[in-house]
Amino acid sequence: MSEEKSLNFIEELIENDLKSGKYEMLVTRFPPEPNGYLHIGHAKAICLNFGLTQKYGGYTNLRFDDTNPVTEKTEYVNSQQEDIQWLGFQWKNELFASDYFGQLHAYAVKLIEKNLAYVDDSTAEEIAAQKGTPTEPGVPNQYRERSIAENLDLFAKMKNGAFPDGACTLRAKIDMASPNMLMRDPIIYRIKHAHHHRTGDTWCIYPMYDFAHGQSDSIEQITHSICTLEYVAHRELYDWFIEKLEIFPSKQYEFARLNLTYTVMSKRKLLQLVNEKLVSGWDDPRMPTISGLRRRGYTPESIREFCERIGIAKRENLIELSLLEFCIREDLNKKASRVMAVLDPIKLVITNYEGDGEVLIGENNPEAEDKGGTREIPFGRELWIEREDFMEEPAKKWFRLAPGAMVRLKFAYIVKCDNFIKDEHGNVTEVHCSYFPESKSGSDTSGINVKGTIHWVSTAHAKTAEVRLYDRLFTVESPDAEEGDFKDYLNPGSMQVLDKVYIEPYLATASLENRYQFIRKGYFCVDKDSTADKPIFNRVVSLKDSWKG
RNA sequence: UUUCCUGUGGUGCAAUGGUAGCACGUCUGAUUUUGGUUCAGAAAAUCUUGGUUCGAAUCCAUGCAGGAAAACCA
């Protein structure tokens, strides 16, 4: 409790604001645009906004920033809600910027009446040309001096559908020479004869982000409007509208967005991967989307822990994927049952084994407090073992099977390799061993010590499954920073499908949401593509492997 | 060559004028019926140059580096 964890800069601001009595309660919001699926970068913002109000008291609204009807869909609204709740957060009010279209329109009229906005008939190209550049001031045009009455009339006509798309815009009258280009008379309303996912055809003019976001915050009395660094330059405008409109002074604060190695984070690029079928969909287990991570087998706890560990600051950052992997391993190590599956099988025959119907007992998770219970594992004379657990000519420090070498079969007996068989291609197909009856797991009186333990599945009892192994989506740490098209750097080996994997019978009961550790192979979960006769497992993440062969 | 933001181990985050710390990663070693887990340890950083100060990662100045800013996108 008293463990003083250092505060990030936003927490410091908040503590000061609360202490000084500036606000009595914290109100934040998470404001996605419903034009794509949420990703791990959004998770950072979600954890921040909801986490802050959980910590300091107050609440967080979910507000969809739906001011551009042409890109927004209800499908995205639904997926975004599901993802936020799956992460473990609940919003106080569910709101839409489109709820405020009437109010926003009134604000625009108010600005016109204060001679702080005007209707501009220029084309997009003309406006861009007049805007200047970062190093040269912009120049005003003739429309800037229209009368208030004329502007009111024109704006009403815009609203009433008298003009086609692009005919004119409403602009704030600020300063065409401002060093901040966003202050050079920004467009605040544009004409779009488009169907809106919520307001339908009620409107044909829609407010721009800058004329909707801050005012929406203000209407909701958001105290701390937290966004990413690309909005720093917008803050001046944000404050200007609130001041001129004389409304509740919400304040904007910016933090650095998350970048993760070996992936891309922009919605545009993720959409491209989906549209061009380079991945199976928004929830492809290789995607950094929340739905992708969920399908991959990540837990909400592990993602929240990750967001906690990466911290909040204002510098550009590139987080190593290994940290995300650490977080899910840490979580699953405590939760996942240890089971056996053989991914790349060869046969092991115990030549001196005469047993019949022997059943062994496996402890499900020695790392869990209650050990996770136990289960029965059928044993037999013939087993499937991993191809890579046998070496014809063992490397130095090799702990596993090799001619003459001994190894423990997990939960079972110690065996010694006596012989092996190869096919015509020189591939090992069978390993022949003898076992030591007195070496049975749990009641070993053999006195034999072995360094290696390997997993196995009885050939007579094995079920088959498909296993999908995933690797990083891109071959380079920062696809965005590379020359050329980011898609040139897709990892062709990012998914490997193993269609005949042998699993122990216990796993036949696995259901969606279940996560397992396949002993020595990694953590796996059941994929939604599974059918009654063919379970499909996704590899969430491999185990750490310190073997350097 | 304008304005704004940012510079701390490989990576991320701390230290708020007083011993540069934590985590991931890397490397040792111990333990281990998972080459997992756990445990012990190691290497590794304040962008430059000045200044203020008894004392600077922190304050000031300069330079340098990176990022952002010119969608009727958000």
Side-chain angles (χ1 to χ4, degrees):
Chain A
M1 291 297 119
S2 62
E3 196 56 39
E4 81 279 5
K5 192 175 177 292
S6 58
L7 303 176
N8 63 51
F9 75 99
I10 294 177
E11 291 172 323
E12 278 183 24
L13 277 162
I14 289 172
E15 292 202 357
N16 286 335
D17 287 347
L18 258 21
K19 205 177 303 168
S20 72
K22 183 172 177 186
Y23 306 108
E24 51 198 38
M25 182 171 62
L26 222 207
V27 185
T28 62
R29 101 269 91 116
F30 176 64
E33 183 189 11
N35 70 344
Y37 279 62
L38 264 20
H39 54 61
I40 183 85
H42 293 109
K44 178 180 181 181
I46 291 167
C47 290
L48 212 212
N49 277 293
F50 285 90
L52 250 15
T53 52
Q54 280 177 357
K55 178 173 179 179
Y56 293 107
Y59 60 85
T60 302
N61 287 341
L62 171 60
R63 183 177 71 238
F64 293 96
D65 226 331
D66 56 351
T67 57
N68 184 2
V70 304
T71 57
E72 296 152 4
K73 291 191 221 164
T74 301
E75 174 202 347
Y76 296 128
V77 170
N78 297 335
S79 76
Q80 293 179 349
Q81 291 174 335
E82 182 188 356
D83 289 346
I84 296 165
Q85 288 175 320
W86 178 77
L87 272 178
F89 298 104
Q90 186 56 55
W91 50 89
K92 171 82 176 282
N93 302 300
E94 180 176 319
L95 302 160
F96 293 79
S98 54
D99 295 340
Y100 310 133
F101 280 171
Q103 178 67 67
L104 262 11
H105 174 265
Y107 286 153
V109 170
K110 180 172 181 177
L111 238 36
I112 295 172
E113 287 168 343
K114 292 179 85 169
N115 197 21
L116 291 173
Y118 61 99
V119 174
D120 190 330
D121 299 351
S122 306
T123 64
E125 295 70 33
E126 287 165 343
I127 288 177
Q130 292 158 6
K131 200 135 207 171
T133 69
T135 53
E136 303 164 71
V139 292
N141 63 31
Q142 77 255 37
Y143 305 111
R144 198 172 201 269
E145 297 313 320
R146 289 220 253 231
S147 69
I148 291 174
E150 189 184 0
N151 282 319
L152 251 12
D153 176 57
L154 255 15
F155 187 51
K157 286 186 170 131
M158 280 173 65
K159 173 176 179 274
N160 294 333
F163 307 121
D165 286 8
C168 53
T169 57
L170 183 69
R171 291 229 253 168
K173 193 189 286 190
I174 307 180
D175 177 8
M176 286 305 288
S178 171
N180 181 350
M181 295 197 64
L182 290 162
M183 299 298 278
R184 321 240 263 226
D185 290 10
I187 293 169
I188 59 180
Y189 260 95
R190 76 287 215 194
I191 301 169
K192 273 182 195 282
H193 291 271
H195 189 82
H196 187 278
H197 76 119
R198 297 198 92 229
T199 60
D201 299 311
T202 306
W203 298 88
C204 65
I205 56 171
Y206 293 93
M208 297 287 288
Y209 165 85
D210 286 304
F211 199 69
H213 200 100
Q215 288 92 318
S216 301
D217 286 340
S218 180
I219 291 166
E220 295 172 24
Q221 310 232 331
I222 300 299
T223 56
H224 299 259
S225 177
I226 302 165
C227 60
T228 49
L229 251 25
E230 60 265 38
Y231 293 98
V232 170
H234 293 250
R235 190 173 60 233
E236 191 179 357
L237 228 201
Y238 184 105
D239 292 336
W240 190 89
F241 286 129
I242 283 177
E243 184 200 326
K244 300 303 179 194
L245 260 12
E246 302 167 83
I247 54 180
F248 180 86
S250 297
K251 287 290 179 185
Q252 174 184 301
Y253 303 96
E254 312 87 9
F255 70 98
R257 70 185 317 146
L258 165 67
N259 295 293
L260 237 200
T261 55
Y262 301 107
T263 192
V264 292
M265 212 66 93
S266 95
K267 273 197 272 185
R268 201 195 96 244
K269 286 175 180 162
L270 294 174
L271 178 62
Q272 220 175 319
L273 294 177
V274 172
N275 284 344
E276 297 178 23
K277 307 246 187 289
L278 297 165
V279 294
S280 66
W282 285 103
D283 70 344
D284 185 299
R286 294 166 294 182
M287 291 280 272
T289 50
I290 294 175
S291 54
L293 292 164
R294 175 166 64 231
R295 186 171 173 189
R296 174 76 169 259
Y298 274 81
T299 58
E301 292 82 0
S302 68
I303 293 175
R304 280 190 254 124
E305 174 66 15
F306 173 74
C307 290
E308 189 64 40
R309 283 173 178 262
I310 58 178
I312 300 294
K314 299 184 76 160
R315 28 187 136 116
E316 292 291 325
N317 60 81
L318 180 60
I319 308 284
E320 292 178 346
L321 186 60
S322 59
L323 181 61
L324 218 209
E325 294 182 336
F326 168 83
C327 291
I328 186 60
R329 286 192 187 107
E330 181 189 45
D331 193 29
L332 260 23
N333 179 50
K334 295 178 299 197
K335 296 176 178 169
S337 288
R338 271 61 171 168
V339 298
M340 297 197 287
V342 176
L343 273 42
D344 183 15
I346 58 172
K347 192 175 284 185
L348 181 148
V349 180
I350 307 175
T351 52
N352 62 337
Y353 185 78
E354 307 290 348
D356 184 30
E358 183 175 7
V359 172
L360 304 168
I361 300 300
E363 198 172 58
N364 287 343
N365 186 1
E367 303 300 329
E369 278 182 33
D370 62 351
K371 305 294 182 199
T374 59
R375 69 180 185 287
E376 297 188 332
I377 311 169
F379 190 67
R381 184 172 185 272
E382 291 195 355
L383 311 173
W384 295 117
I385 63 165
E386 215 69 66
R387 178 178 305 280
E388 63 177 20
D389 285 340
F390 175 82
M391 260 187 121
E392 185 179 345
E393 292 171 42
K396 55 268 147 231
K397 292 250 203 124
W398 177 254
F399 296 168
R400 288 113 94 174
L401 279 174
M406 290 190 289
V407 77
R408 151 110 28 215
L409 296 171
K410 182 76 181 175
F411 302 126
Y413 302 90
I414 291 174
V415 294
K416 178 181 182 190
C417 173
D418 303 313
N419 200 358
F420 62 95
I421 296 174
K422 288 186 185 179
D423 65 15
E424 64 273 25
H425 307 297
N427 297 318
V428 174
T429 55
E430 275 186 41
V431 177
H432 291 180
C433 296
S434 44
Y435 87 121
F436 300 89
E438 66 282 13
S439 68
K440 184 168 178 173
S441 194
S443 54
D444 184 351
T445 57
S446 70
I448 303 170
N449 246 336
V450 293
K451 288 284 271 186
T453 299
I454 67 171
H455 60 281
W456 51 273
V457 174
S458 163
T459 63
H461 308 86
K463 310 280 189 212
T464 59
E466 175 178 317
V467 163
R468 297 174 180 172
L469 302 178
Y470 298 104
D471 196 0
R472 49 185 63 146
L473 226 201
F474 290 89
T475 56
V476 293
E477 281 201 337
S478 191
D480 297 313
E482 298 288 335
E483 296 282 305
D485 190 347
F486 77 103
K487 298 195 295 299
D488 294 344
Y489 301 93
L490 277 164
N491 176 9
S494 60
M495 177 164 90
Q496 190 189 349
V497 177
L498 274 26
D499 60 0
K500 201 176 181 195
V501 166
Y502 293 112
I503 59 177
E504 59 171 290
Y506 174 74
L507 266 179
T509 64
S511 60
L512 232 51
E513 295 296 303
N514 283 2
R515 297 177 181 85
Y516 300 91
Q517 184 195 107
F518 288 3
I519 291 177
R520 303 205 306 133
K521 297 271 77 173
Y523 294 99
F524 293 76
C525 71
V526 178
D527 188 80
K528 68 175 188 184
D529 284 350
S530 294
T531 59
D533 42 293
K534 187 167 199 186
I536 298 174
F537 292 92
N538 294 322
R539 184 173 68 191
V540 188
V541 67
S542 66
L543 254 31
K544 271 179 68 178
D545 185 6
S546 58
W547 161 247
K548 294 174 261 313

